[in-house]
C-alpha cells in the first residue's frame, strides 16, 4: 500500500502535502482502507488530514473525511460508489498547523468488496424541479446506519442540504431523503450523498440538480378583431423568458375596473373571448406552463382593449 509521512516540525501553518491514489474506473463498490496517525508531544495538533474524492479529474470539492487528533494509529475505511464511465481519484492531504509533530498515512488498500463498517450508496439520480419547489434527493444505501452516524447531501459550489427523513428497510438497506428547499438557479449544480460513521465514510456519485424557470411570454397578446361582446386575440407567445417545453397555454382576462376575472385554457394560437360586456375595457394576458409541479409562470404583459358599444359593428 501507499505510505506518506509528514514531519511538521519547522513548517509554517498552512503548508500542504498531497498523496494521490491511482484512478479507479471499475463500475463497482470499492472499499479503501487506510491507517492514519496524527501526533505531537506538545498536545497541540500538528495538522489536519483531509481526504477528498475527485470525479473525472473535476474540481476537488470539499473533504469527505478529516481529522486533526489521534495520538495512536487508527484505521478508517472509505466506501466509494462510482459508476461507469466515470472514474475517481482519492487524494490525501496534510495541512500543517505550525506545531511540531507527525501526520502519517500507511497501508492504503483498495479492496474489491464492500466496507465492513460503512454503508455504500447505490447510484444517485439527478433531479429536475421548477424554481421555488423542493428538490428531493433519494440516497439509497446498502448497509446499516446507527444513531451516531452523520448523513448529509454535499454540494460542489452549492450549499449542503440537511437530512430530511430516513427509512430503514432492514439491516442491509436504507434510504435517506434530502431536500433542497425553495430551489433557485443558484442551487443548481452537483450533489452527492455522504455518511460519516464510526468506521469511516461513505460517498455516492455526484448527481445534478437542474432548476428550470417557469415560462413567461415576453410580449402581450395581439388583437385580431373586436365586437361588442367578443375579442379575437393572437396569443403571441412564441418568445418567452424561462424554460420550455410549453405543455399548456391559458388566457387570463379581467375588466380594468377589477370587478370581473376569468381564465381559460387555449389549444391554438388564436382565441375568441366571448360573452363580454359592450363598451368595457379589458386586460388580457397569457399564462404558460412547463412540466412539473410549480411549472406555471407569471402572467405575461397585458393587452388593454375595449369592446365596441352595443349595436355598433
Amino acid at each position: 500500500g501507499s505510505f506518506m509521512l509528514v514531519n511538521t516540525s519547522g513548517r509554517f501553518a498552512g503548508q500542504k502535502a498531497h498523496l494521490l491514489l491511482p484512478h479507479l474506473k471499475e463500475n463497482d463498490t470499492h472499499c479503501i482502507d487506510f491507517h492514519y496517525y496524527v501526533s505531537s508531544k506538545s498536545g497541540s495538533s500538528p495538522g489536519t488530514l483531509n481526504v477528498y474524492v475527485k470525479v473525472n479529474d473535476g474540481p476537488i470539492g470539499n473533504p469527505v473525511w478529516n481529522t486533526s487528533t489521534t495520538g495512536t494509529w487508527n484505521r478508517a475505511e472509505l466506501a466509494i460508489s462510482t459508476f461507469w464511465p466515470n472514474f475517481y481519484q482519492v487524494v490525501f492531504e496534510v495541512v500543517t498547523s505550525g506545531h511540531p509533530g507527525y501526520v502519517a498515512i500507511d497501508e492504503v488498500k483498495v479492496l474489491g468488496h464492500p466496507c465492513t463498517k460503512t454503508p455504500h450508496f447505490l447510484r444517485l439520480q439527478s433531479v429536475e424541479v421548477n424554481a421555488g419547489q423542493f428538490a428531493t434527493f433519494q440516497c439509497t444505501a446498502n448497509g446499516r446506519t446507527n444513531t451516531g452516524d452523520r448523513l448529509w447531501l454535499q454540494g460542489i459550489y452549492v450549499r449542503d442540504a440537511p437530512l430530511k427523513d430516513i427509512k430503514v428497510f432492514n439491516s442491509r438497506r436504507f434510504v435517506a431523503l434530502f431536500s433542497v428547499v425553495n430551489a433557485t438557479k443558484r442551487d443548481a449544480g452537483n450533489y452527492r450523498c455522504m455518511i460519516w460513521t464510526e468506521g469511516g465514510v461513505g460517498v455516492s456519485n455526484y448527481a445534478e440538480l437542474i432548476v428550470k424557470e417557469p415560462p413567461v411570454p415576453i410580449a402581450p397578446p395581439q388583437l385580431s378583431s373586436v365586437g361588442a361582446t367578443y375579442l379575437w386575440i393572437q396569443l403571441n407567445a412564441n418568445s418567452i423568458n424561462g424554460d420550455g417545453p410549453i405543455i399548456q397555454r391559458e388566457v387570463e382576462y379581467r375588466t380594468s375596473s377589477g370587478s370581473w376575472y376569468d381564465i381559460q385554457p387555449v389549444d391554438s394560437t388564436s382565441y375568441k373571448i366571448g360573452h363580454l360586456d359592450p363598451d368595457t375595457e379589458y386586460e388580457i394576458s397569457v399564462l404558460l406552463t412547463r412540466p412539473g409541479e410549480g411549472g406555471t409562470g407569471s402572467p405575461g404583459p397585458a393587452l388593454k382593449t375595449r369592446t365596441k358599444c352595443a349595436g355598433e359593428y
Side-chain angles (χ1 to χ4, degrees):
S2 313
F3 176 73
M4 175 182 184
L5 173 68
V6 178
N7 177 351
T8 63
S9 300
R11 287 179 183 253
F12 302 112
Q15 286 187 299
K16 293 180 180 181
H18 289 108
L19 169 67
L20 281 69
L21 297 194
H23 284 158
L24 293 163
K25 291 189 164 86
E26 299 88 279
N27 191 12
D28 205 354
T29 306
H30 289 103
C31 189
I32 291 178
D33 188 303
F34 64 96
H35 289 75
Y36 63 95
Y37 177 73
V38 184
S39 169
S40 70
K41 287 201 168 78
S42 67
S44 298
S45 172
T48 303
L49 171 60
N50 293 316
V51 180
Y52 299 89
V53 178
K54 223 158 69 137
V55 181
N56 296 344
D57 287 333
I60 197 160
N62 296 318
V64 297
W65 185 91
N66 55 17
T67 188
S68 52
T69 48
T70 57
T72 56
W73 280 98
N74 281 6
R75 183 181 153 202
E77 49 183 26
L78 311 171
I80 297 178
S81 304
T82 185
F83 300 93
W84 189 89
N86 297 321
F87 59 87
Y88 65 93
Q89 187 173 30
V90 175
V91 178
F92 292 94
E93 174 187 71
V94 174
V95 184
T96 57
S97 67
H99 297 288
Y102 290 94
V103 182
I105 304 154
D106 195 10
E107 290 187 63
V108 181
K109 297 192 203 71
V110 179
L111 308 170
H113 60 72
C115 291
T116 51
K117 297 186 191 141
T118 306
H120 76 263
F121 291 103
L122 307 188
R123 186 192 284 267
L124 180 64
Q125 304 291 344
S126 292
V127 176
E128 180 181 300
V129 290
N130 292 310
Q133 303 298 306
F134 285 37
T136 301
F137 282 91
Q138 292 199 16
C139 296
T140 305
N142 282 350
R144 174 193 293 273
T145 177
N146 300 310
T147 47
D149 295 346
R150 181 170 161 238
L151 281 142
W152 76 104
L153 192 69
Q154 187 186 61
I156 189 158
Y157 304 142
V158 279
R159 59 188 173 154
D160 291 357
L163 181 66
K164 183 180 130 197
D165 194 17
I166 194 159
K167 296 175 185 154
V168 176
F169 294 108
N170 52 47
S171 63
R172 294 199 300 274
R173 172 68 63 95
F174 66 89
V175 175
L177 298 171
F178 300 90
S179 270
V180 179
V181 298
N182 303 338
T184 68
K185 290 273 192 193
R186 280 198 308 278
D187 299 310
N190 289 319
Y191 294 84
R192 62 185 173 187
C193 317
M194 302 284 306
I195 182 167
W196 198 321
T197 69
E198 194 188 16
V201 68
V203 187
S204 80
N205 61 302
Y206 279 117
E208 191 181 0
L209 171 58
I210 302 154
V211 180
K212 298 287 194 180
E213 285 293 338
V216 180
I218 288 172
Q222 290 171 329
L223 191 61
S224 308
S225 68
V226 57
T229 58
Y230 67 86
L231 297 164
W232 269 104
I233 60 156
Q234 298 286 335
L235 295 196
N236 194 23
N238 287 339
S239 297
I240 62 165
N241 287 318
D243 295 302
I246 288 159
I247 54 167
Q248 184 181 311
R249 296 168 178 80
E250 294 165 298
V251 168
E252 178 187 274
Y253 48 103
R254 64 183 78 222
T255 51
S256 292
S257 65
S259 60
W260 187 83
Y261 166 88
D262 195 16
I263 189 164
Q264 294 286 333
V266 179
D267 55 10
S268 68
T269 56
S270 63
Y271 183 69
K272 181 184 182 182
I273 305 171
H275 309 289
L276 300 178
D277 293 334
D279 194 26
T280 302
E281 190 175 55
Y282 288 92
E283 292 177 20
I284 303 149
S285 47
V286 176
L287 282 169
L288 302 174
T289 300
R290 71 175 311 282
E293 200 169 324
T296 302
S298 311
L303 161 73
K304 283 190 180 178
T305 186
R306 185 175 280 277
T307 48
K308 294 186 171 183
C309 297
E312 188 188 333
Y313 291 101

